[in-house]
Amino acid sequence: MEKINKNVSKQWGNKMSIRFIYGRAGTGKSRFCIDEIKKKLQLDENRKLILIVPDQYTFTTENNVLREIGEAAF
């Protein structure tokens, strides 16, 4: 299994950061993102998070997040 490449691009204080997750198909990028969202929501249920995916994967991603995390993610 190929290692997932992670890069935090910029950080503005402690409030906002952007993180790019990239790698080949089947390397666990989606699983990593869902697990990170789940962890952050457990720490602060009111935290605002944005997950950006290509348009063709929006429906699939929404279903996966809803199934794994539930309505708290929305």
Side-chain angles (χ1 to χ4, degrees):
M1 184 176 217
E2 185 177 322
K3 186 177 180 182
I4 298 173
N5 296 311
K6 297 173 274 200
N7 178 32
V8 177
S9 178
K10 280 195 170 194
Q11 187 166 348
W12 294 274
N14 292 328
K15 292 193 174 208
M16 186 184 302
S17 66
I18 185 167
R19 182 182 243 181
F20 296 97
I21 312 299
Y22 57 94
R24 294 182 182 204
T27 59
K29 298 177 300 295
S30 296
R31 167 67 26 214
F32 175 81
C33 290
I34 289 173
D35 289 345
E36 286 295 302
I37 291 169
K38 200 183 293 188
K39 285 180 202 173
K40 294 197 183 298
L41 288 176
Q42 286 172 349
L43 293 173
D44 181 2
E45 196 173 283
N46 295 319
R47 186 171 187 159
K48 303 294 182 202
L49 304 168
I50 300 172
L51 175 62
I52 300 173
V53 296
D55 193 37
Q56 64 268 30
Y57 298 116
T58 302
F59 180 74
T60 303
T61 302
E62 286 178 355
N63 283 331
N64 290 340
V65 169
L66 186 59
R67 184 178 57 248
E68 293 289 327
I69 301 172
E71 292 182 20
F74 294 97

Coordinates of all heavy atoms in Angstrom, one line a residue:
M1 N 0.8 -1.2 0.0 CA 0.0 0.0 0.0 C 0.9 1.2 0.0 O 1.8 1.4 0.8 CB -0.9 0.0 1.2 CG -1.9 1.1 1.3 SD -3.0 0.8 2.7 CE -4.5 1.4 2.0
E2 N 0.6 2.1 -0.9 CA 1.4 3.4 -1.0 C 1.1 4.3 0.1 O 0.0 4.4 0.6 CB 1.1 4.0 -2.4 CG 1.9 5.3 -2.6 CD 1.6 5.8 -4.0 OE1 1.4 5.1 -4.9 OE2 1.5 7.0 -4.1
K3 N 2.1 5.0 0.6 CA 1.9 6.0 1.7 C 1.2 7.2 1.1 O 1.4 7.7 0.0 CB 3.3 6.4 2.2 CG 3.3 7.3 3.4 CD 4.7 7.6 3.8 CE 4.7 8.5 5.0 NZ 6.0 8.8 5.5
I4 N 0.3 7.7 1.9 CA -0.5 8.9 1.6 C 0.4 10.2 1.8 O 1.0 10.3 2.8 CB -1.8 9.1 2.4 CG1 -2.7 7.9 2.2 CG2 -2.5 10.4 2.1 CD1 -3.9 7.9 3.1
N5 N 0.5 11.0 0.8 CA 1.2 12.3 0.9 C 0.3 13.3 1.5 O -0.8 13.6 1.0 CB 1.7 12.7 -0.5 CG 2.7 11.7 -1.1 OD1 3.6 11.3 -0.4 ND2 2.5 11.3 -2.3
K6 N 0.8 14.0 2.6 CA 0.0 15.0 3.2 C 0.9 16.3 3.3 O 2.0 16.3 3.6 CB -0.4 14.6 4.6 CG -1.3 13.4 4.7 CD -1.5 13.0 6.1 CE -0.4 12.1 6.4 NZ -0.5 11.2 7.5
N7 N 0.2 17.4 3.0 CA 1.0 18.7 3.0 C 0.1 19.8 3.5 O -1.0 20.0 3.0 CB 1.5 19.0 1.6 CG 2.2 20.4 1.6 OD1 2.8 20.7 2.5 ND2 2.1 21.1 0.5
V8 N 0.4 20.4 4.6 CA -0.3 21.5 5.1 C 0.3 22.8 4.4 O 1.5 23.1 4.6 CB -0.2 21.7 6.6 CG1 -0.9 22.9 7.1 CG2 -0.8 20.4 7.3
S9 N -0.5 23.4 3.6 CA 0.0 24.5 2.7 C 0.2 25.8 3.5 O 1.3 26.3 3.5 CB -1.0 24.7 1.6 OG -0.6 25.8 0.8
K10 N -0.8 26.3 4.1 CA -0.7 27.6 4.8 C -1.5 27.5 6.1 O -2.5 26.8 6.2 CB -1.2 28.7 4.0 CG -0.2 29.2 3.0 CD -0.7 30.6 2.5 CE 0.4 31.1 1.6 NZ 0.3 32.5 1.3
Q11 N -1.1 28.2 7.1 CA -1.9 28.3 8.3 C -2.0 29.8 8.7 O -1.0 30.5 8.8 CB -1.2 27.5 9.4 CG -2.1 27.4 10.6 CD -1.6 26.3 11.6 OE1 -0.8 25.5 11.2 NE2 -2.1 26.3 12.8
W12 N -3.2 30.2 9.1 CA -3.5 31.5 9.5 C -3.8 31.4 11.0 O -5.0 31.2 11.3 CB -4.6 32.1 8.7 CG -4.3 32.3 7.3 CD1 -3.6 33.4 6.7 CD2 -4.5 31.4 6.2 NE1 -3.5 33.2 5.4 CE2 -4.0 32.0 5.1 CE3 -5.1 30.2 6.1 CZ2 -4.1 31.4 3.8 CZ3 -5.2 29.6 4.9 CH2 -4.7 30.2 3.7
G13 N -2.9 31.7 11.8 CA -3.1 31.6 13.3 C -3.5 30.2 13.6 O -3.1 29.2 13.0
N14 N -4.4 30.1 14.6 CA -4.9 28.8 15.0 C -6.3 28.5 14.5 O -6.9 27.5 14.8 CB -4.9 28.7 16.6 CG -3.6 28.6 17.1 OD1 -2.7 28.1 16.5 ND2 -3.4 29.2 18.3
K15 N -6.8 29.4 13.7 CA -8.2 29.3 13.3 C -8.4 28.6 12.0 O -9.4 27.9 11.8 CB -8.8 30.7 13.1 CG -8.9 31.4 14.5 CD -9.8 32.6 14.4 CE -10.0 33.2 15.7 NZ -11.2 33.9 15.9
M16 N -7.5 28.7 11.0 CA -7.8 28.2 9.7 C -6.5 27.6 9.1 O -5.5 28.2 9.2 CB -8.4 29.3 8.8 CG -8.8 28.7 7.4 SD -9.3 30.0 6.3 CE -10.7 30.8 7.2
S17 N -6.7 26.5 8.5 CA -5.6 25.9 7.7 C -6.1 25.1 6.5 O -7.3 24.8 6.5 CB -4.7 25.0 8.6 OG -5.5 23.8 9.0
I18 N -5.3 24.9 5.6 CA -5.7 24.1 4.4 C -4.8 22.9 4.3 O -3.6 23.0 4.6 CB -5.7 24.9 3.1 CG1 -6.2 24.1 1.9 CG2 -4.3 25.4 2.8 CD1 -6.5 25.0 0.7
R19 N -5.3 21.7 4.0 CA -4.5 20.5 3.9 C -4.9 19.8 2.6 O -6.1 19.6 2.3 CB -4.9 19.6 5.1 CG -4.1 18.4 5.2 CD -4.6 17.6 6.3 NE -3.5 17.4 7.3 CZ -3.6 16.8 8.4 NH1 -4.8 16.2 8.8 NH2 -2.6 16.6 9.2
F20 N -3.9 19.4 1.8 CA -4.1 18.7 0.6 C -3.7 17.2 0.8 O -2.6 16.9 1.3 CB -3.2 19.3 -0.5 CG -3.5 20.7 -0.9 CD1 -2.7 21.7 -0.3 CD2 -4.5 21.0 -1.8 CE1 -3.0 23.0 -0.7 CE2 -4.8 22.3 -2.1 CZ -4.1 23.3 -1.5
I21 N -4.6 16.4 0.5 CA -4.4 14.9 0.6 C -4.4 14.4 -0.8 O -5.4 14.5 -1.5 CB -5.6 14.2 1.4 CG1 -5.8 15.0 2.7 CG2 -5.2 12.8 1.7 CD1 -4.7 15.1 3.7
Y22 N -3.4 13.8 -1.2 CA -3.3 13.3 -2.6 C -2.5 11.9 -2.6 O -1.8 11.6 -1.7 CB -2.7 14.3 -3.5 CG -1.3 14.7 -3.1 CD1 -0.2 14.1 -3.6 CD2 -1.1 15.8 -2.2 CE1 1.1 14.5 -3.3 CE2 0.1 16.2 -1.8 CZ 1.3 15.6 -2.4 OH 2.5 16.0 -2.0
G23 N -2.8 11.2 -3.6 CA -2.1 9.9 -3.8 C -2.8 9.1 -4.8 O -3.9 9.5 -5.4
R24 N -2.3 7.9 -5.1 CA -2.9 7.1 -6.1 C -4.2 6.5 -5.6 O -4.5 6.4 -4.4 CB -1.9 5.9 -6.5 CG -0.7 6.5 -7.2 CD 0.2 5.3 -7.6 NE 1.4 5.8 -8.2 CZ 2.1 5.2 -9.1 NH1 1.8 3.9 -9.3 NH2 3.2 5.7 -9.6
A25 N -5.0 5.9 -6.6 CA -6.2 5.3 -6.2 C -6.0 4.1 -5.3 O -5.0 3.4 -5.4 CB -6.9 4.8 -7.5
G26 N -6.8 4.0 -4.3 CA -6.7 2.8 -3.4 C -5.7 3.0 -2.3 O -5.4 2.0 -1.6
T27 N -5.2 4.2 -2.0 CA -4.2 4.4 -1.0 C -4.8 4.8 0.3 O -4.1 5.0 1.3 CB -3.1 5.4 -1.4 OG1 -3.8 6.6 -1.7 CG2 -2.4 4.9 -2.6
G28 N -6.1 5.0 0.4 CA -6.8 5.4 1.7 C -7.0 6.8 1.9 O -7.2 7.3 3.0
K29 N -7.0 7.6 0.8 CA -7.3 9.1 1.0 C -8.6 9.4 1.6 O -8.8 10.2 2.5 CB -7.1 9.8 -0.4 CG -5.7 9.7 -1.0 CD -5.7 10.3 -2.4 CE -6.6 9.7 -3.4 NZ -6.4 8.3 -3.8
S30 N -9.7 8.7 1.0 CA -11.0 9.0 1.5 C -11.2 8.5 2.9 O -11.8 9.2 3.8 CB -12.0 8.2 0.6 OG -12.0 8.8 -0.7
R31 N -10.7 7.4 3.3 CA -10.7 6.8 4.7 C -10.0 7.8 5.6 O -10.5 8.1 6.7 CB -10.1 5.5 4.7 CG -9.8 4.9 6.1 CD -11.0 4.6 6.9 NE -12.2 4.3 6.2 CZ -13.4 4.6 6.7 NH1 -13.5 5.2 7.8 NH2 -14.5 4.3 6.0
F32 N -8.8 8.3 5.2 CA -8.1 9.3 6.0 C -8.9 10.5 6.3 O -9.0 11.0 7.4 CB -6.8 9.6 5.3 CG -6.0 10.7 6.0 CD1 -5.2 10.4 7.1 CD2 -6.1 12.0 5.6 CE1 -4.5 11.3 7.8 CE2 -5.4 13.0 6.3 CZ -4.6 12.7 7.4
C33 N -9.5 11.1 5.2 CA -10.3 12.3 5.4 C -11.5 12.1 6.3 O -11.8 12.9 7.2 CB -10.8 12.8 4.0 SG -9.5 13.4 3.0
I34 N -12.2 11.0 6.1 CA -13.4 10.7 7.0 C -13.0 10.5 8.4 O -13.6 11.0 9.3 CB -14.2 9.5 6.4 CG1 -14.9 9.9 5.1 CG2 -15.2 9.0 7.4 CD1 -15.6 8.8 4.4
D35 N -11.9 9.8 8.6 CA -11.4 9.6 10.0 C -11.0 10.9 10.6 O -11.3 11.1 11.8 CB -10.2 8.6 10.0 CG -10.6 7.2 9.7 OD1 -11.9 6.9 9.8 OD2 -9.8 6.3 9.4
E36 N -10.3 11.8 9.9 CA -10.0 13.1 10.4 C -11.2 13.9 10.8 O -11.2 14.6 11.8 CB -9.0 13.8 9.4 CG -7.6 13.3 9.4 CD -6.9 13.5 10.7 OE1 -6.7 14.6 11.1 OE2 -6.4 12.5 11.2
I37 N -12.2 13.9 9.9 CA -13.4 14.7 10.2 C -14.1 14.2 11.4 O -14.5 14.9 12.3 CB -14.3 14.6 9.0 CG1 -13.8 15.4 7.8 CG2 -15.7 15.1 9.3 CD1 -14.5 15.2 6.5
K38 N -14.1 12.8 11.5 CA -14.7 12.2 12.7 C -14.0 12.6 14.0 O -14.7 13.0 15.0 CB -14.7 10.7 12.6 CG -15.7 9.9 13.4 CD -15.5 8.4 13.3 CE -15.9 7.9 11.9 NZ -15.9 6.4 11.8
K39 N -12.7 12.6 14.0 CA -11.9 13.0 15.2 C -12.2 14.5 15.6 O -12.4 14.8 16.7 CB -10.4 12.8 14.9 CG -9.9 11.4 14.9 CD -8.4 11.4 14.6 CE -7.9 10.1 14.1 NZ -6.6 10.2 13.7
K40 N -12.1 15.3 14.6 CA -12.3 16.8 14.8 C -13.7 17.1 15.4 O -13.9 17.9 16.2 CB -12.0 17.6 13.6 CG -10.5 17.5 13.3 CD -10.0 18.5 12.3 CE -8.6 18.4 11.9 NZ -7.6 18.4 13.0
L41 N -14.7 16.4 14.9 CA -16.1 16.6 15.3 C -16.3 16.0 16.7 O -17.1 16.5 17.5 CB -17.1 16.0 14.4 CG -17.3 16.7 13.0 CD1 -18.2 16.0 12.1 CD2 -17.7 18.1 13.2
Q42 N -15.6 15.0 17.1 CA -15.6 14.5 18.5 C -15.1 15.5 19.5 O -15.5 15.6 20.6 CB -14.9 13.1 18.6 CG -15.7 12.0 17.9 CD -14.9 10.7 17.8 OE1 -13.7 10.7 18.1 NE2 -15.5 9.6 17.5
L43 N -14.0 16.2 19.0 CA -13.4 17.2 19.9 C -14.3 18.5 20.0 O -14.4 19.1 21.1 CB -12.0 17.6 19.4 CG -11.0 16.5 19.5 CD1 -9.7 17.0 18.8 CD2 -10.7 16.1 20.9
D44 N -14.9 18.9 18.9 CA -15.7 20.1 18.9 C -16.9 19.9 17.9 O -16.7 20.0 16.7 CB -14.9 21.3 18.6 CG -15.7 22.6 18.6 OD1 -16.9 22.6 18.9 OD2 -15.1 23.6 18.2
E45 N -18.1 19.5 18.4 CA -19.2 19.2 17.5 C -19.6 20.4 16.7 O -20.2 20.2 15.6 CB -20.4 18.8 18.4 CG -21.4 18.1 17.6 CD -22.5 17.5 18.6 OE1 -22.2 16.5 19.2 OE2 -23.6 18.1 18.7
N46 N -19.3 21.6 17.1 CA -19.7 22.8 16.4 C -18.7 23.3 15.4 O -18.9 24.4 14.8 CB -20.1 23.9 17.4 CG -21.3 23.6 18.2 OD1 -22.3 23.0 17.6 ND2 -21.3 23.9 19.5
R47 N -17.6 22.6 15.3 CA -16.5 23.1 14.5 C -16.9 23.0 13.0 O -17.6 22.1 12.5 CB -15.3 22.1 14.7 CG -14.1 22.6 13.9 CD -12.9 21.8 14.3 NE -11.7 22.3 13.7 CZ -10.5 22.1 14.1 NH1 -10.3 21.4 15.2 NH2 -9.5 22.7 13.5
K48 N -16.5 24.0 12.2 CA -16.9 24.1 10.8 C -15.7 23.5 10.0 O -14.6 24.0 10.1 CB -17.1 25.5 10.4 CG -18.2 26.2 11.2 CD -19.5 25.6 10.9 CE -20.6 26.3 11.7 NZ -21.8 25.6 11.9
L49 N -16.0 22.5 9.2 CA -15.0 21.9 8.3 C -15.5 21.9 6.9 O -16.7 21.8 6.6 CB -14.8 20.4 8.8 CG -14.4 20.2 10.2 CD1 -14.5 18.8 10.6 CD2 -13.0 20.7 10.5
I50 N -14.6 22.0 6.0 CA -14.9 21.9 4.5 C -14.1 20.8 3.9 O -12.9 20.8 4.0 CB -14.6 23.3 3.8 CG1 -15.4 24.4 4.5 CG2 -14.9 23.2 2.4 CD1 -15.1 25.8 4.0
L51 N -14.8 20.0 3.2 CA -14.2 18.9 2.4 C -14.5 19.2 0.9 O -15.6 19.2 0.5 CB -14.7 17.5 2.8 CG -14.3 16.3 2.0 CD1 -12.7 16.1 2.1 CD2 -15.0 15.1 2.4
I52 N -13.4 19.4 0.2 CA -13.6 19.7 -1.3 C -13.2 18.5 -2.1 O -12.1 18.0 -1.9 CB -12.7 20.9 -1.7 CG1 -13.1 22.2 -0.8 CG2 -12.9 21.2 -3.2 CD1 -12.2 23.4 -1.0
V53 N -14.1 18.1 -3.0 CA -13.9 17.0 -3.8 C -14.3 17.4 -5.2 O -15.1 18.3 -5.4 CB -14.7 15.7 -3.4 CG1 -14.3 15.2 -2.0 CG2 -16.2 16.0 -3.4
P54 N -13.8 16.6 -6.3 CA -14.2 16.9 -7.6 C -15.7 16.7 -7.8 O -16.3 15.9 -7.1 CB -13.5 15.9 -8.5 CG -12.3 15.5 -7.6 CD -12.8 15.6 -6.2
D55 N -16.4 17.5 -8.7 CA -17.8 17.5 -8.8 C -18.4 16.1 -9.1 O -19.4 15.7 -8.5 CB -18.2 18.4 -10.0 CG -19.7 18.7 -10.0 OD1 -20.3 18.8 -9.0 OD2 -20.2 18.7 -11.2
Q56 N -17.7 15.2 -9.8 CA -18.2 13.9 -10.1 C -18.2 13.0 -8.9 O -18.8 11.9 -9.0 CB -17.4 13.3 -11.3 CG -15.9 13.0 -11.0 CD -15.0 14.1 -11.4 OE1 -15.4 15.3 -11.4 NE2 -13.8 13.8 -11.8
Y57 N -17.5 13.3 -7.8 CA -17.5 12.5 -6.6 C -18.3 13.1 -5.5 O -18.3 12.5 -4.4 CB -16.0 12.3 -6.2 CG -15.2 11.6 -7.2 CD1 -14.1 12.2 -7.8 CD2 -15.5 10.3 -7.6 CE1 -13.3 11.6 -8.7 CE2 -14.7 9.6 -8.5 CZ -13.6 10.3 -9.1 OH -12.9 9.7 -10.0
T58 N -19.0 14.2 -5.7 CA -19.8 14.8 -4.6 C -20.8 13.9 -4.0 O -20.9 13.7 -2.8 CB -20.5 16.1 -5.2 OG1 -19.5 16.9 -5.7 CG2 -21.2 16.8 -4.1
F59 N -21.6 13.2 -4.8 CA -22.7 12.4 -4.3 C -22.1 11.2 -3.5 O -22.6 10.9 -2.4 CB -23.6 11.9 -5.5 CG -24.7 11.0 -5.0 CD1 -25.8 11.6 -4.4 CD2 -24.7 9.6 -5.3 CE1 -26.9 10.7 -4.0 CE2 -25.7 8.8 -4.8 CZ -26.8 9.4 -4.2
T60 N -21.1 10.6 -4.1 CA -20.5 9.4 -3.4 C -19.9 9.8 -2.1 O -20.1 9.1 -1.1 CB -19.4 8.8 -4.3 OG1 -20.1 8.4 -5.6 CG2 -18.8 7.6 -3.7
T61 N -19.2 11.0 -2.1 CA -18.6 11.4 -0.9 C -19.6 11.8 0.2 O -19.4 11.4 1.4 CB -17.7 12.6 -1.2 OG1 -16.7 12.3 -2.2 CG2 -16.9 13.1 0.0
E62 N -20.6 12.5 -0.2 CA -21.7 12.8 0.8 C -22.3 11.6 1.4 O -22.5 11.5 2.6 CB -22.8 13.6 0.1 CG -22.4 15.1 -0.2 CD -23.5 15.8 -0.9 OE1 -24.5 15.2 -1.3 OE2 -23.3 17.0 -1.1
N63 N -22.6 10.5 0.6 CA -23.1 9.3 1.1 C -22.1 8.6 2.1 O -22.5 8.1 3.1 CB -23.4 8.3 0.0 CG -24.7 8.7 -0.7 OD1 -25.6 9.3 -0.1 ND2 -24.9 8.4 -2.0
N64 N -20.8 8.6 1.7 CA -19.8 8.0 2.6 C -19.7 8.7 3.9 O -19.6 8.1 5.0 CB -18.5 7.9 1.9 CG -18.4 6.9 0.7 OD1 -19.3 6.0 0.6 ND2 -17.5 7.1 -0.2
V65 N -19.7 10.0 3.9 CA -19.6 10.8 5.1 C -20.8 10.6 6.0 O -20.7 10.4 7.2 CB -19.4 12.3 4.8 CG1 -19.5 13.2 6.0 CG2 -18.0 12.5 4.2
L66 N -22.0 10.6 5.3 CA -23.2 10.4 6.1 C -23.3 9.0 6.7 O -23.7 8.9 7.9 CB -24.4 10.6 5.2 CG -25.8 10.6 5.8 CD1 -25.9 11.7 6.9 CD2 -26.9 10.8 4.8
R67 N -22.9 8.0 6.0 CA -22.9 6.7 6.5 C -21.9 6.5 7.6 O -22.1 5.8 8.7 CB -22.5 5.7 5.4 CG -22.6 4.2 5.8 CD -22.3 3.2 4.7 NE -21.0 3.4 4.1 CZ -20.8 3.9 2.8 NH1 -21.8 4.2 2.0 NH2 -19.6 4.0 2.4
E68 N -20.7 7.1 7.5 CA -19.6 6.9 8.5 C -19.8 7.8 9.7 O -19.4 7.4 10.8 CB -18.2 7.2 7.9 CG -17.9 6.2 6.8 CD -17.5 4.8 7.4 OE1 -17.0 4.7 8.5 OE2 -17.8 3.8 6.7
I69 N -20.2 9.0 9.5 CA -20.2 10.0 10.6 C -21.7 10.3 11.1 O -21.9 10.5 12.3 CB -19.5 11.3 10.2 CG1 -18.1 11.0 9.9 CG2 -19.6 12.3 11.4 CD1 -17.3 12.1 9.3
G70 N -22.6 10.3 10.1 CA -23.9 10.7 10.5 C -24.2 12.1 10.2 O -23.4 12.9 9.6
E71 N -25.4 12.6 10.6 CA -25.8 13.9 10.4 C -25.0 15.0 11.0 O -25.0 16.2 10.6 CB -27.3 14.1 10.8 CG -28.2 13.3 9.9 CD -29.7 13.5 10.2 OE1 -30.0 14.5 10.9 OE2 -30.5 12.6 9.9
A72 N -24.3 14.7 12.0 CA -23.4 15.6 12.7 C -22.4 16.2 11.8 O -21.9 17.3 12.0 CB -22.7 15.0 13.9
A73 N -22.1 15.5 10.7 CA -21.1 16.0 9.7 C -21.7 17.1 8.8 O -20.9 17.8 8.2 CB -20.6 14.9 8.9
F74 N -23.0 17.2 8.8 CA -23.6 18.2 7.9 C -24.2 19.3 8.8 O -24.6 20.2 8.8 CB -24.7 17.6 7.1 CG -24.1 16.6 6.1 CD1 -24.1 15.2 6.3 CD2 -23.5 17.0 4.9 CE1 -23.6 14.3 5.4 CE2 -23.0 16.1 4.0 CZ -23.0 14.8 4.3

